[in-house]
Every structure is written in C-alpha cells, then in structure tokens.
Amino acid sequence: MNKIIELFRKLKFQLLLGAGLIIGTVLITALLINIFERKREARNPYVRLVEVTENDTDPAKWGINWPKEYDSYKLTALSTRTRFGGHGGSEAMPQEKLERDPWLKRMFQGYAFSIDYRDRRGHAYMLSDQESTKRLSKPQSGSCLHCHASVMPLYRKLGDGDAAKGFEKSYQYSYQELNQILHDEGHAHPVSCVDCHDPKSMELRVTRPGFIKGIQSLAQSNSPVPHIPSIQRWREGDRKKPYDPNREASQTEMRSFACAQCHVEYYCGPKMPLTFPWGKGLKVEEVEEFWNTTQYTDGTPFSDFVHAETGAKLLKAQHPEFELWSQGIHARSGVSCADCHMPYMRDGATKVSDHWVRSPLLNINRACQTCHRWPEEEIKARVDVIQERNHNLLQRAAKALMDQLDAIQQAKKEGATEIHLKEAFEFQRKAQWRLDFIAAENSMGFHAPQEAARILGEAADYARQGQVAAVHWKKTKQ
C-alpha cells in the first residue's frame, strides 16, 4: 500500500513538474517573442499600409501608416493655455488681443490688424481661423496661404509643375481666389505631414520656397550665425551652389528649420512676392535694415502700412519666433524648437516625436526636465518671472508709444506738417517695429529674455525721443 501511495506521489510530482516546465516554457517563449517584436518595432517603427506621395496633403491618410504621430497631431485641436499664451480650443474663436490690450488697436490704425487680432490656436485650426478672420474684409494676398495650408501641390499647379515658379506667382492672386483653387484641388488642409517629411523616406525636410530663399540669403550675408553650424561650413566652402538646407543642415538644425518655415517675420502682401527678410541677419535691427533698403516691384520704398492717425509709414512684425530664438541661450546650446515643443516620448519600445505642438510649460517633464533637473514648480516659477518682466516692459513701451501718438496728434492740431514731423515719424517707425517684434512673438520674450528686454528698452526710448520731437516740432520749422 505504501509503495502505491509513494508511486502516486512521484507521479503527481512529475506531473506538476511537467506542467511547470510547460508553463515556464510558454512564458519564456512569450517573453522572447515580445522582446523580438519590440526590437523589430524599434528597427522598423512603422509598416506602410498605404502609399503616400507629394500630393497627399490629408494628414489622415498619413495617419494610417504613422498612427502614433497622427494621434498626437490631432490633439492640437484641444484648448491649452498658459499665463501669457495659449489658445482657445474647438469651442470658440480665441480671445481678441485688441480687447485685452487696446493700445494694439491704436498702434495698427490703418492696417487690417486693427480690425481683428486674436490669440493663436493649435495647428489644427491654422487654415480655418485664417479663412474666418475679419481681416479678409480688406484685400489680402494669396501668398498668405504659404504658412496656413498644405500648399505645395497648389504651387506646382500654378507653376506648371515648378513649385518655385508657382510660389513666385501666388502674390498676384487675391486670398479668396487662391483659397478657392486650394479647395477645388482637394488640398484645403492645415500644414500637414508632407510639408515636413519626405513621403518616401519620412526624413525631416523643408519645402516652403519662402524659407529656402530666406535661409539662402541669410547664408550669403555676413551676419554671425553660431547656432547654425552648417551655414558657417557652407560659408567656408567654395559657395558655387546656394546653401541647401535639405542637403547640408544637421538633424538638429532641421528640427528648427521645419518650424522656421512659418514661425518667422515675413511680408506676404500684394505688392511683391512673399519675402523672408534675412539678407542682413536675424536680429531686430538687421531685419529692420533689410526692410529699410527694400523697394516694392514698382520702385517705392517698403512699408507695411501707413498709420491712419499720424501718416507715418510703418512696419508690421508677423511672428518672429525663429529670429528671437536665434538670439537666445537655447539656440546657442544646440536646443532645437522641436526639442521643447515636440519632445520625444516613449511608446512601448518606440521613440516618437510628440506632434501635439504646444507650450513646453504644459509638458515640463519631457520638454524641460530632460536637461533641467529642477522640480516642475521651480521651472515654471523661473519662466514666469522672465515672462512677467518682459510683459511689464512691453506695457511700458506701449505706454511710451501711445504718449508719442498723443504728442503727434497735438502737434498736428497746432499746425505741424509732414515735414515738421519727419523725425517723429522715423522714431515712431523704429519704436513700433521693436514693440511689435516682441508683442507678436509667441514666447513673451522667453526665447531670448535679455534680447527681448533690450528690444523693448529701445522701443520705449525711441518712442520717448519721438514724443520730444513732436512736442518741439516748431523748432524744426525754424
């Protein structure tokens, strides 16, 4: 009997041992398969389910192949806000800046931005917001689509296959005309995957003719660009071929160039082709010098608009993020736009660039703490101090400009003519250009804090000098 019991015990033990071995083998096999699949995913992070080409401007089609990037891109439709920036989401149009800072309306008197000037929204709205702005009640050029739509197929159509030629023609169309063609051709999408990625290789690239011409003119200038080493190397070469960012820029540089296709200062009106003003450099006074020496195609001196109240011929800054970032410590340290606004994130074993483009303050863990080992609240507090100081400087410079406008108004009531006020007008142009350069830039000075403070200090100084010139206009008469 004992032998039978012992036999059963051995048999039970062997069965349990066998079952354990089978379960263990299954688990180990599953683990190895999982590791193998993760490694394979890491080597080949996507599988092409559909072919995409240069004419595929709908991001949803690209999203079939690259769903992780597309899923995060769609999040740009969500509402996000910071203390000095952010945007409304899908629920409503963003707030009017003109209501929050009434001096903007007076500063832009005579220009479309005095009619409608709102906070920004995410990339998902860049075309629809442009189509609905009240600024379209004034004539607007078709070249404005350059930075609001996936426009390269449209350029090829206008140029009979040559995108560069089509780009050169685009300013001759009204915004409504070109926008209608865009819709008719099925390309009415915001800036899309094809604008920054090669559809064959998915390599990062730049496509916008305005940027390519602008960065080539910057390369040909003598302005120092220590944050763009590839331009410095090109300058040291034979220069037989124009600087080509797609061939010569590093991956890190491209992670800023892709953004600089649109987040820059430019002219996109009806009097000449869209122009990035970098032929003398990227600093505020270098861009100003470029505009001051530019003429329209009819030979008249360049200005964006004539101030309706004073008659001064003025400049309008767009959103010079690339220019101001170029003067800051992050650029000098090799930190790109995408490092902060599209930081890498882990998805399983795959590293993905976050396409939810937004303020780093809303993503401090991945955007800032990769380099800065301080608590989130500490980082946020430091940024807040910088932005608050620049905001206060901005308001003081705006007050100085408004005082200058008051002085010019008073001088005109006293009989001052355009000749008497010539010096005051020149100071108004310089003051307004600098004030607008920081007001229109989307970082409240954070991209280059000391440079922003310098620019705002100059804005206040020029406005006060202009105020004095207007008050003493009679001395000019003598």
Side-chain angles (χ1 to χ4, degrees), residues 10 25 98 163 229 248 256 282 304 321 365 376 420 431 434:
K10 287 182 179 179
T25 302
L98 301 176
E248 299 173 73
S256 291
L282 297 169
D304 280 302
E321 280 86 62
N365 177 258
E376 286 197 13
H420 300 130
R434 283 159 178 76

Side-chain angles (χ1 to χ4, degrees), residues 75-303:
L75 295 176
T76 62
L78 296 180
S79 173
T80 61
R81 294 184 186 282
T82 62
R83 182 182 177 191
F84 293 105
H87 58 82
S90 58
E91 75 281 3
M93 289 292 285
Q95 184 183 7
E96 277 277 14
K97 289 185 178 182
L98 301 176
E99 295 171 359
R100 192 172 57 233
D101 289 316
W103 54 266
L104 285 169
K105 188 177 184 66
R106 192 180 182 194
M107 185 168 79
F108 294 133
Q109 278 296 318
Y111 197 52
F113 275 81
S114 67
I115 300 171
D116 190 10
Y117 187 21
R118 297 175 184 273
D119 287 333
R120 61 191 175 277
R121 290 207 284 186
H123 281 183
Y125 292 98
M126 64 172 65
L127 179 59
S128 60
D129 280 359
Q130 188 184 47
E131 291 172 335
S132 58
T133 178
K134 297 175 184 175
R135 292 198 293 272
L136 292 178
S137 61
K138 299 290 184 182
Q140 301 289 333
S141 164
S143 60
C144 296
L145 286 169
H146 183 274
C147 291
H148 284 262
S150 195
V151 78
M152 295 307 293
L154 179 62
Y155 285 161
R156 286 192 287 274
K157 178 179 175 60
L158 296 181
D160 294 325
D162 187 330
K165 288 183 179 177
F167 163 75
E168 296 291 340
K169 291 180 180 177
S170 63
Y171 81 99
Q172 298 169 345
Y173 293 79
S174 72
Y175 179 83
Q176 288 81 358
E177 289 172 335
L178 212 56
N179 183 259
Q180 186 60 55
I181 299 174
L182 185 80
H183 279 264
D184 291 344
E185 294 293 315
H187 298 301
H189 299 287
V191 170
S192 183
C193 317
V194 71
D195 298 303
C196 301
H197 293 282
D198 186 318
K200 293 181 180 176
S201 65
M202 275 302 285
E203 285 185 3
L204 198 57
R205 67 175 183 178
V206 290
T207 56
R208 291 292 187 273
F211 172 81
I212 293 172
K213 290 182 65 176
I215 202 73
Q216 288 176 342
S217 65
L218 175 65
Q220 291 165 354
S221 76
N222 294 320
S223 179
V225 284
H227 62 299
I228 311 178
S230 65
I231 287 183
Q232 298 191 99
R233 289 192 295 271
W234 178 85
R235 288 174 176 173
E236 294 166 359
D238 58 22
R239 299 191 180 198
K240 290 182 178 177
K241 294 182 178 178
Y243 172 76
D244 183 347
N246 284 319
R247 186 180 65 236
E248 299 173 73
S250 67
Q251 179 74 1
T252 296
E253 289 169 333
M254 291 300 286
R255 283 168 60 80
S256 291
F257 285 180
C259 307
Q261 295 184 96
C262 298
H263 289 265
V264 294
E265 158 66 1
Y266 50 77
Y267 168 79
C268 68
K271 295 185 177 180
M272 64 181 188
L274 185 146
T275 302
F276 285 25
W278 298 342
K280 297 183 183 297
L282 297 169
K283 298 178 72 173
V284 66
E285 59 269 25
E286 293 170 334
V287 177
E288 181 184 42
E289 184 184 355
F290 179 92
W291 289 135
N292 287 345
T293 54
T294 296
Q295 293 182 336
Y296 288 121
T297 51
D298 63 6
T300 56
F302 178 88
S303 67

Side-chain angles (χ1 to χ4, degrees), residues 402-414:
M402 296 302 104
D403 288 347
Q404 184 196 359
L405 297 185
D406 289 342
I408 291 176
Q409 281 290 76
Q410 182 60 35
K412 292 175 76 171
K413 288 180 182 176
E414 294 170 358

Side-chain angles (χ1 to χ4, degrees), residues 4-72:
I4 295 174
I5 294 173
E6 185 63 24
L7 181 62
F8 274 109
R9 282 179 179 172
K10 287 182 179 179
L11 182 60
K12 183 179 179 181
F13 174 76
Q14 289 175 347
L15 288 172
L16 289 173
L17 181 62
L21 288 172
I22 292 171
I23 293 172
T25 302
V26 170
L27 291 175
I28 291 172
T29 302
L31 178 62
L32 291 174
I33 291 173
N34 182 269
I35 293 172
F36 173 77
E37 289 179 345
R38 295 296 183 183
K39 286 185 175 180
R40 188 180 61 181
E41 286 179 9
R43 288 195 300 270
N44 184 21
Y46 57 84
V47 176
R48 282 181 184 266
L49 299 177
V50 297
E51 283 302 315
V52 290
T53 70
E54 294 285 356
N55 286 320
D56 286 313
T57 55
D58 186 349
K61 185 173 181 181
W62 290 64
I64 297 172
N65 291 339
W66 298 281
K68 294 169 184 174
E69 288 82 356
Y70 180 57
D71 283 347
S72 59

